[in-house]
Amino acid sequence: MTDGSAVDTRPTKIMYVAEATAHGGREGYVTSQDGRLDLKVAMPPQLGGDGNGTNPEQLFAAGYSACFHNALILVGNREGYDLAGSTVAAKVGIGPNRQRGYGLAVALTVSLPVVDPALATRLVDAAHEICPYSNATRGNIDVTILLG
Protein backbone atom coordinates (compact mmCIF):
# COMPACT_ATOMS: atom_id res chain seq x y z
CA MET A 1 0.00 0.00 0.00
CA THR A 2 1.24 3.44 -0.79
CA ASP A 3 -0.16 5.17 2.29
CA GLY A 4 2.06 3.16 4.67
CA SER A 5 -0.81 1.49 6.52
CA ALA A 6 -0.60 -2.20 7.33
CA VAL A 7 -2.75 -4.73 5.52
CA ASP A 8 -5.02 -6.67 7.86
CA THR A 9 -4.49 -10.39 7.14
CA ARG A 10 -6.34 -11.75 10.18
CA PRO A 11 -9.00 -14.37 9.42
CA THR A 12 -12.60 -13.19 9.29
CA LYS A 13 -13.81 -16.72 10.06
CA ILE A 14 -11.97 -19.65 11.66
CA MET A 15 -12.52 -22.74 9.49
CA TYR A 16 -10.17 -25.18 11.23
CA VAL A 17 -8.21 -25.27 14.47
CA ALA A 18 -5.12 -27.47 14.94
CA GLU A 19 -4.23 -28.48 18.47
CA ALA A 20 -0.83 -29.68 19.62
CA THR A 21 0.81 -30.01 23.01
CA ALA A 22 4.52 -29.94 23.87
CA HIS A 23 5.74 -32.14 26.71
CA GLY A 24 9.25 -31.32 27.91
CA GLY A 25 10.08 -28.47 25.52
CA ARG A 26 12.95 -29.10 23.13
CA GLU A 27 13.90 -32.33 24.90
CA GLY A 28 10.52 -34.06 25.03
CA TYR A 29 7.77 -34.85 22.60
CA VAL A 30 4.85 -33.21 20.82
CA THR A 31 1.40 -34.62 20.25
CA SER A 32 -1.67 -33.46 18.39
CA GLN A 33 -5.14 -33.62 19.87
CA ASP A 34 -6.28 -36.08 17.16
CA GLY A 35 -3.30 -38.42 17.71
CA ARG A 36 -1.93 -38.03 14.17
CA LEU A 37 1.18 -36.30 15.47
CA ASP A 38 3.32 -37.95 18.15
CA LEU A 39 6.97 -37.04 17.73
CA LYS A 40 10.10 -37.03 19.85
CA VAL A 41 11.65 -33.58 20.02
CA ALA A 42 15.36 -33.03 20.52
CA MET A 43 17.82 -30.17 20.26
CA PRO A 44 19.89 -30.35 17.08
CA PRO A 45 23.63 -30.88 17.58
CA GLN A 46 24.28 -27.30 16.39
CA LEU A 47 22.39 -26.10 19.48
CA GLY A 48 24.03 -28.54 21.88
CA GLY A 49 21.65 -31.47 21.64
CA ASP A 50 21.95 -35.04 20.42
CA GLY A 51 19.63 -34.55 17.43
CA ASN A 52 17.71 -37.75 18.18
CA GLY A 53 14.32 -36.30 17.28
CA THR A 54 12.71 -33.60 15.24
CA ASN A 55 12.77 -29.97 16.32
CA PRO A 56 10.46 -26.96 16.09
CA GLU A 57 12.41 -25.50 13.16
CA GLN A 58 11.92 -28.67 11.10
CA LEU A 59 8.22 -28.69 11.93
CA PHE A 60 7.92 -25.01 10.95
CA ALA A 61 9.81 -25.68 7.69
CA ALA A 62 7.48 -28.58 6.88
CA GLY A 63 4.39 -26.52 7.62
CA TYR A 64 5.52 -23.43 5.74
CA SER A 65 6.67 -25.35 2.65
CA ALA A 66 3.41 -27.34 2.46
CA CYS A 67 1.25 -24.26 3.02
CA PHE A 68 3.17 -22.11 0.52
CA HIS A 69 3.10 -24.89 -2.07
CA ASN A 70 -0.66 -25.19 -1.69
CA ALA A 71 -1.04 -21.42 -2.11
CA LEU A 72 1.11 -21.62 -5.24
CA ILE A 73 -0.98 -24.46 -6.69
CA LEU A 74 -4.16 -22.51 -5.89
CA VAL A 75 -2.86 -19.39 -7.63
CA GLY A 76 -1.74 -21.46 -10.61
CA ASN A 77 -5.11 -23.19 -10.88
CA ARG A 78 -6.96 -19.86 -10.66
CA GLU A 79 -4.92 -18.64 -13.62
CA GLY A 80 -5.28 -21.85 -15.61
CA TYR A 81 -1.82 -23.35 -15.04
CA ASP A 82 -1.11 -26.94 -14.04
CA LEU A 83 1.85 -26.80 -11.65
CA ALA A 84 2.37 -30.58 -11.50
CA GLY A 85 6.00 -31.33 -10.69
CA SER A 86 6.49 -28.10 -8.77
CA THR A 87 8.01 -28.15 -5.28
CA VAL A 88 8.66 -25.78 -2.41
CA ALA A 89 11.54 -26.42 -0.01
CA ALA A 90 11.93 -24.42 3.19
CA LYS A 91 14.98 -23.74 5.30
CA VAL A 92 14.34 -22.30 8.74
CA GLY A 93 17.27 -20.83 10.62
CA ILE A 94 17.39 -19.91 14.28
CA GLY A 95 19.84 -17.67 16.05
CA PRO A 96 20.24 -15.00 18.70
CA ASN A 97 18.59 -11.63 18.16
CA ARG A 98 19.43 -8.18 19.49
CA GLN A 99 16.91 -8.45 22.35
CA ARG A 100 18.78 -11.30 24.08
CA GLY A 101 16.30 -13.79 22.71
CA TYR A 102 16.18 -15.84 19.52
CA GLY A 103 14.78 -15.19 16.08
CA LEU A 104 14.01 -17.10 12.92
CA ALA A 105 14.79 -16.60 9.25
CA VAL A 106 13.22 -18.51 6.36
CA ALA A 107 14.39 -19.28 2.85
CA LEU A 108 11.86 -20.84 0.47
CA THR A 109 13.13 -22.40 -2.75
CA VAL A 110 10.40 -22.79 -5.34
CA SER A 111 10.83 -25.08 -8.33
CA LEU A 112 8.43 -24.51 -11.22
CA PRO A 113 10.02 -26.55 -14.02
CA VAL A 114 7.23 -26.09 -16.59
CA VAL A 115 6.80 -22.32 -16.21
CA ASP A 116 8.91 -19.51 -17.68
CA PRO A 117 10.78 -17.33 -15.13
CA ALA A 118 8.59 -14.21 -15.53
CA LEU A 119 5.39 -16.18 -14.97
CA ALA A 120 7.01 -18.12 -12.11
CA THR A 121 7.89 -14.85 -10.37
CA ARG A 122 4.34 -13.55 -10.76
CA LEU A 123 2.81 -16.78 -9.41
CA VAL A 124 5.23 -16.90 -6.47
CA ASP A 125 4.50 -13.27 -5.58
CA ALA A 126 0.76 -13.96 -5.66
CA ALA A 127 1.18 -17.09 -3.52
CA HIS A 128 3.22 -15.09 -1.01
CA GLU A 129 0.29 -12.68 -0.64
CA ILE A 130 -2.30 -15.37 0.17
CA CYS A 131 -0.26 -17.99 2.08
CA PRO A 132 -1.25 -17.94 5.78
CA TYR A 133 2.35 -18.59 6.87
CA SER A 134 3.59 -15.71 4.72
CA ASN A 135 0.91 -13.46 6.17
CA ALA A 136 1.79 -14.53 9.73
CA THR A 137 5.51 -13.94 9.27
CA ARG A 138 5.42 -10.79 7.12
CA GLY A 139 7.23 -8.01 8.93
CA ASN A 140 8.24 -10.33 11.76
CA ILE A 141 11.00 -12.49 10.28
CA ASP A 142 13.12 -12.39 7.16
CA VAL A 143 11.61 -14.55 4.41
CA THR A 144 13.61 -14.99 1.23
CA ILE A 145 12.03 -16.66 -1.78
CA LEU A 146 14.27 -18.13 -4.46
CA LEU A 147 13.30 -19.64 -7.77
CA GLY A 148 15.27 -22.85 -8.18
Side-chain angles (χ1 to χ4, degrees):
M1 300 182 83
T2 57
D3 66 1
S5 63
V7 175
D8 185 356
T9 60
R10 295 175 295 175
T12 57
K13 176 183 174 184
I14 300 298
M15 298 169 59
Y16 169 74
V17 174
E19 294 180 49
T21 302
H23 311 263
R26 286 183 172 266
E27 294 294 338
Y29 61 100
V30 292
T31 58
S32 62
Q33 176 273 337
D34 63 5
R36 294 185 182 270
L37 184 69
D38 188 349
L39 300 170
K40 180 177 174 17
V41 180
M43 293 277 273
Q46 298 88 337
L47 297 178
D50 62 17
N52 289 326
T54 191
N55 59 67
E57 293 72 36
Q58 288 175 329
L59 296 171
F60 189 75
Y64 201 161
S65 63
C67 191
F68 193 92
H69 196 208
N70 197 71
L72 185 63
I73 291 168
L74 178 66
V75 167
N77 287 342
R78 284 180 179 169
E79 296 197 21
Y81 298 102
D82 178 4
L83 300 183
S86 63
T87 61
V88 175
K91 293 181 181 180
V92 175
I94 184 171
N97 65 22
R98 290 184 177 91
Q99 283 70 44
R100 298 179 45 132
Y102 289 86
L104 300 175
V106 173
L108 299 175
T109 301
V110 179
S111 174
L112 290 166
V114 296
V115 177
D116 72 72
L119 176 58
T121 298
R122 190 167 60 77
L123 294 174
V124 165
D125 288 347
H128 192 43
E129 290 302 313
I130 68 167
C131 173
Y133 276 66
S134 293
N135 286 328
T137 60
R138 187 172 289 111
N140 299 313
I141 65 173
D142 289 334
V143 177
T144 303
I145 303 176
L146 308 166
L147 286 173

